[in-house]
Amino acid sequence: MPRLISKPQAEPGLAQKISLSSQMPPSRRNIGKKIRRHWQLYLVLLLPVLYLIIFKYIPMAGIVIAFKNFNVIKGIWGSDWVGLKYFYQFFESPNFWLYIKNTLGISFYGLIVGFPAPIILALALNEIRNDIFKKTVQMVSYAPYFISTVIMVSIIIVNLTPHVGMVSKFFEMLGVSNTNFMGMPGLFKSIYVWSDVWQFTGYGAIIYIAALSGVNPELYESAKVDGASRIQKILRIDIPSLIPVSVILLILNLGNIMKLGFEKIYLMQNPLNLSTSEVISTYVYKVGLLGSSFSFSAAIGLFNSVINLILLITVNYIARKLSSNSLW
């Protein structure tokens, strides 16, 4: 039998190359064309990107100050390298565990109480059929969010002041002796957290109300035909529709668990409640700015940020494994 000799394949011609290039992903083939066509949109996008690069990413180089004995005259790069000295100094501090306990205690207390509060308010507002009453409740609940922190703390202190405050007067009418609530260490966490709930619950409910407004009305009609009660509608329709948004916000909140608000806590502090009100952020301010120990405060701040990053990645991983909702 004659041997069949296979001919070598010829190199693709120009037409074949064009056809092969047409099979490339559009994102790679047309990216330059898209930029030229929509250059105005990319120009607008360029401004926030430059802002992030200039004011967020470039200053990250200053983290090196945490590993140096910073000297104002020598500058950041001319200061002597000390490695992990200031980290060990913070870990060996006698009040290290006190600051960690106070920070985590207030954060988790606020998360347990404050996270479900906007969800409950959104579910309640979604069930109100009287538009006038509904808008009134929304306005009253949103208003505290626009009060500045300084004024909010002033309201808290004035109302809790012995002999003068409204709360003290109320307890005095009940026969309870005047009490300095702001001077009781055991009450500081509750005062901080519940005042936050009052101030931010209404504003936090906005995103959940928006999520509820996107629910398909046919689901409610079907539930009504099936004879479902209001509680059943909430359990079977409303709450499942809020789960994706709730998971994302929960991940973000847990990722900032160590980043406790400095301004409000610092304004509420006094020598009597310092044992429960001193947290990492206030300690960094006192040590770094008031004590001029910039390297030590930078090391504490870096430790704080690393813990937040680890928590964010861990919680996001758990959420992705348990459900289909995650940040990435």
Side-chain angles (χ1 to χ4, degrees), residues 64-310:
V64 71
I65 194 177
F67 305 95
K68 291 193 170 189
N69 185 14
F70 178 68
N71 187 298
V72 179
I73 299 176
K74 295 181 180 180
I76 296 178
W77 307 110
S79 300
D80 299 329
W81 182 271
V82 295
L84 301 176
K85 171 186 174 181
Y86 294 108
F87 291 93
Y88 290 126
Q89 183 177 339
F90 178 56
F91 297 151
E92 295 171 357
S93 171
N95 294 323
F96 170 74
W97 290 110
L98 176 64
Y99 303 146
I100 296 294
K101 184 183 74 172
N102 291 342
T103 303
L104 293 178
I106 297 175
S107 296
F108 279 111
Y109 187 3
L111 186 65
I112 293 172
V113 175
F115 183 76
I119 300 176
I120 296 173
L121 178 61
L123 293 172
L125 290 173
N126 190 54
E127 293 298 318
I128 296 176
R129 298 294 175 258
N130 189 327
D131 291 338
I132 297 177
F133 180 73
K134 182 177 182 178
K135 292 180 180 179
T136 303
V137 173
Q138 287 178 327
M139 182 186 66
V140 172
S141 60
Y142 296 167
Y145 175 80
F146 300 99
I147 301 176
S148 66
T149 304
V150 176
I151 297 177
M152 176 60 66
V153 174
S154 300
I155 293 173
I156 295 171
I157 294 176
V158 168
N159 281 281
L160 297 179
T161 301
H163 306 289
V164 180
M166 185 183 301
V167 177
S168 298
K169 290 291 184 180
F170 174 75
F171 279 100
E172 187 177 350
M173 291 172 57
L174 298 178
V176 180
S177 59
N178 286 304
T179 305
N180 184 9
F181 295 98
M182 294 300 298
M184 299 178 66
L187 294 179
F188 180 83
K189 294 179 181 178
S190 297
I191 295 172
Y192 178 87
V193 170
W194 286 103
S195 60
D196 262 6
V197 170
W198 173 64
Q199 185 175 11
F200 297 109
T201 295
Y203 185 81
I206 294 176
I207 189 170
Y208 297 108
I209 294 174
L212 289 173
S213 64
V215 177
N216 191 348
E218 294 181 358
L219 296 176
Y220 294 110
E221 294 176 1
S222 301
K224 186 177 180 180
V225 171
D226 293 337
S229 63
R230 283 194 172 186
I231 299 298
Q232 290 174 330
K233 291 178 184 178
I234 293 173
L235 295 177
R236 303 292 183 179
I237 300 176
D238 293 340
I239 292 180
S241 65
L242 294 179
I243 288 178
V245 178
S246 302
V247 171
I248 297 299
L249 293 179
L250 181 61
I251 294 173
L252 294 175
N253 287 336
L254 287 173
N256 289 323
I257 204 72
M258 298 287 288
K259 189 179 179 182
L260 202 59
F262 157 77
E263 186 179 1
K264 184 177 178 181
I265 288 185
Y266 184 73
L267 293 173
M268 291 176 63
Q269 279 184 351
N270 59 57
L272 298 177
N273 62 24
L274 205 59
S275 60
T276 56
S277 64
E278 188 75 292
V279 295
I280 293 178
S281 58
T282 57
Y283 181 66
V284 168
Y285 168 74
K286 294 175 182 177
V287 171
L289 295 182
L290 301 184
S292 300
S293 182
F294 302 108
S295 296
F296 184 49
S297 61
I300 300 174
L302 180 59
F303 164 77
N304 207 17
S305 300
V306 170
I307 296 298
N308 280 333
L309 179 61
I310 294 173

Side-chain angles (χ1 to χ4, degrees), residues 42-57:
Y42 286 97
L43 182 62
V44 174
L45 183 63
L46 182 64
L47 297 177
V49 170
L50 287 176
Y51 169 79
L52 291 175
I53 294 174
I54 296 173
F55 295 102
K56 300 296 182 180
Y57 286 96

